[in-house]
């Protein structure tokens, strides 16, 4: 891993842990951003962690850019020694794959796609060596995912699949981004999955939709009363495939304010995950389902 | 105390100086695209300079006042009328209860700021009244104004009229402009030639130019240094592992049309960025119409900070002039 520092204009410093995505890069970025937050450096106005990088927004009238740059570099030394362990939560997110809404949208934007003859799911299945869409969908929801960044638009989680790199799903982004994506679309681009929190532009392939809101600026949704954004970096997600009937039932429950997502507390330790991926995931599932 | 929207114009939103602090959740700071013009409008009507006002794009709204108020219009050259009577820009004037404020066609710039004494008093969301439309947050029910809306106003101070911003402190954008850029971020991914072309070429503001970002056309396509794409990035050479995007940063999806991110920026994504427009020039972008000619000018950090200090000086002179 090679850390790279750069200025983003006169108000930002951008720090990339590694060009490649990995959980090691995520944990290192998290350690440094935690250290930066704890240091309470005057002049820092925002700390934005991303997948394997982070960004600091600062006021150059309060701290000189080169002074802040050296402070960040010195914090990197300490962060290298930080424990790669998180007290977090695992959340079950229902997914209606091949739903009518994303299907309608993907048909509308076929001319921006690498393969206008296929659906996004057919294309992704083929790109990842699966014989059928069913097998691909199974690979998508069989193992848990890790929220490695929140952003793009309000509350959108980027998700990193918790399997060996050789099994991780990878697909290109659309050739030209769409101008429309249904709210709550389950997307995928590069190695990242996502849930589109609001309707709008998007470049990721579309696989399905969830009935579970993850952003509510009115804070009426029962589990978003405390805060309007549901996801935090470090959350773990398990997709649960559902059909139209269940989709409609959950949508009704959300509207009636009686839907509660299944959430359990878990500890995620990167070293034990790397030592035994399947075993770690097995334990995560047991915690989620209370076995 | 309120005004009624008779006609919203093209896209009129409530904006103040924005809501910093939530970009790590994908919620941008929002706020006036031209913050200098917003501050000037507020100071003219006796508001705190960060009070909420209206930002009107290309076309002004038509508003009927329920109360007596002081009004000022700054930024774009969008001539104001009260019951048909014209009023000069960058100058405070009064509107009586029952009168209608309307606007002529746009003569220059892109965004006019309409400040009203007392300020717009919609409920703040995460510390700001700025409208973030995509997130349905802030402003008037999280959206642009519509006909029939009753927009609440705060308690005004003493009414004043005739106060004006001195000519030297008014800023407008003409047919062409220069934007100063500090190269960096993923600059190294493009070839030396592409980097040279970017600063040599003449660009034009494309029709897709809004609060999220301004797209530019007309320059030569970018070429990339040959390399193997890193794991997780996606296969196009303009793709990166999704990362944060600074405000003002310039991304080039597919290597063709640069996009400068603005106040409603997406907080991150998977396209490389070649650097960022310096903070001193961000207000200028908000006043650019489609087809405005643009040259990007390369600067270093010292020049960026000098330009920033120059802007701060201008603002200090404005405050002094309107004190």
């Amino acid at each position: 891993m090679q850390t790279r520092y750069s200025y983003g204009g006169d108000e930002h410093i951008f720090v990339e842990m590694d060009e490649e995505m990995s959980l090691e890069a995520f944990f290192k970025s998290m350690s440094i951003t935690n250290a930066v937050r704890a240091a309470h450096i005057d002049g820092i106005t925002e700390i934005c962690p991303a997948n394997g990088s982070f960004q600091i927004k600062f006021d150059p009238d309060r701290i000189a850019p080169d002074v802040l740059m050296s402070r960040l570099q010195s914090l990197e030394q300490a962060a290298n020694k930080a424990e790669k362990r998180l007290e977090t939560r695992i959340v079950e997110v229902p997914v209606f794959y091949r739903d009518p809404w994303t299907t309608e949208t993907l048909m509308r934007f076929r001319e921006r796609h690498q393969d206008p003859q296929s659906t996004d799911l057919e294309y992704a299945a083929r790109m990842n060596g699966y014989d059928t869409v069913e097998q691909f969908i199974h690979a998508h929801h069989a193992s848990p995912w890790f929220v490695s960044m929140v952003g793009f638009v309000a509350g959108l989680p980027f998700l990193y699949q918790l399997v060996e790199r050789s099994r991780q799903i990878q697909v290109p982004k659309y050739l030209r981004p769409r101008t429309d994506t249904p709210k709550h679309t389950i997307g995928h681009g590069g190695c990242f999955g996502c849930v589109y929190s609001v309707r709008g532009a998007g470049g990721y392939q579309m696989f399905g939709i969830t009935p579970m809101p993850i952003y509510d600026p009115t804070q009426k949704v029962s589990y978003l009363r405390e805060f309007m954004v549901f996801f935090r970096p470090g959350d773990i997600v398990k997709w649960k495939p559902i059909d139209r009937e269940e989709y409609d039932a959950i949508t009704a429950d959300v509207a009636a304010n009686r839907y509660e997502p299944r959430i359990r507390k878990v500890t995620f330790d990167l070293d034990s995950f790397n030592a035994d991926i399947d075993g770690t995931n097995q334990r995560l599932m047991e915690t989620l389902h209370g076995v | 105390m309120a005004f009624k929207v008779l006609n919203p114009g093209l896209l009129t939103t409530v904006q103040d100086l924005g809501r910093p602090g939530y970009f790590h959740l994908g919620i941008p700071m929002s706020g006036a695209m031209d913050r200098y013009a917003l501050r000037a409008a507020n100071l003219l009507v006796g508001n705190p300079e960060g009070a909420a006002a209206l930002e009107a794009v290309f076309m002004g709204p038509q508003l009927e006042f329920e109360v007596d108020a002081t009004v000022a219009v700054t930024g774009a050259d969008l001539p104001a009328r009260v019951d048909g009577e014209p009023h000069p820009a960058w100058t405070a004037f009064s509107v009586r209860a029952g009168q209608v404020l309307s606007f002529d066609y746009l003569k220059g710039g892109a965004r006019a700021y309409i400040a009203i004494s007392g300020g717009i008093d919609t409920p703040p969301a995460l510390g700001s009244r700025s409208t973030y439309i995509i997130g349905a947050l802030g402003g008037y029910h999280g959206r642009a104004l519509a006909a029939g809306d009753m927009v609440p106003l705060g308690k005004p101070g003493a009414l004043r009229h005739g106060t004006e911003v001195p000519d030297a402190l008014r800023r407008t954008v003409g047919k062409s402009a220069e934007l100063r850029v500090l190269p960096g971020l993923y600059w190294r991914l493009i070839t030396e030639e592409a980097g040279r072309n970017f600063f040599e070429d003449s660009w034009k503001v494309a029709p897709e130019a809004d609060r999220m970002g301004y797209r530019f056309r007309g320059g030569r396509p970018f070429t990339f240094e040959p390399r193997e794409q890193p794991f997780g990035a996606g296969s196009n050479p303009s793709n990166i592992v999704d990362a944060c995007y600074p405000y003002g940063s310039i991304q080039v999806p597919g290597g063709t049309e640069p996009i400068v991110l603005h106040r409603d920026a997406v907080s991150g994504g998977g396209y490389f960025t070649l650097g960022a427009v310096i903070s001193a020039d961000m207000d200028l972008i908000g006043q650019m119409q489609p087809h405005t000619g643009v040259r990007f000018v390369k600067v270093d950090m010292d020049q960026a900070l000098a330009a920033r200090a120059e802007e701060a000086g201008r603002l200090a002179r404005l405050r002094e002039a309107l004190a």
Side-chain angles (χ1 to χ4, degrees), chain A residues 14 18 20-21 50 55 79 98 124 128 156 159 174 177 180 247 274 276 288:
Chain A
F14 174 77
D18 196 354
E20 286 193 344
M21 178 57 192
Q55 172 180 303
R98 266 188 296 206
N128 287 278
L156 178 150
L159 299 138
Y174 268 47
D180 191 19
Y247 177 90
N274 284 333
D276 179 11
L288 181 65

Side-chain angles (χ1 to χ4, degrees), chain A residues 4 6-9, chain B residues 179-191 194-199 203 220-224 238 240 244-246 248-253 255-261 271-277 296-299:
Chain A
R4 188 170 68 82
S6 175
Y7 293 113
Chain B
L179 291 177
R180 288 167 288 188
V181 172
L182 187 66
L185 301 168
Y186 291 85
W187 176 265
R188 69 211 185 99
L189 297 190
I190 56 173
T191 60
R196 248 192 342 263
N197 294 349
F198 173 67
F199 288 114
W203 298 88
R220 284 166 277 186
F222 288 68
T223 45
F224 293 86
S238 73
I240 56 162
C244 293
Y245 289 151
S249 63
I250 307 170
Q251 56 172 278
V252 197
T256 54
E257 295 178 349
I259 300 172
V260 177
L261 295 179
Y271 296 108
F272 90 105
T273 43
L274 55 77
V277 172
F296 293 102
V297 177
K298 187 178 183 172
V299 293

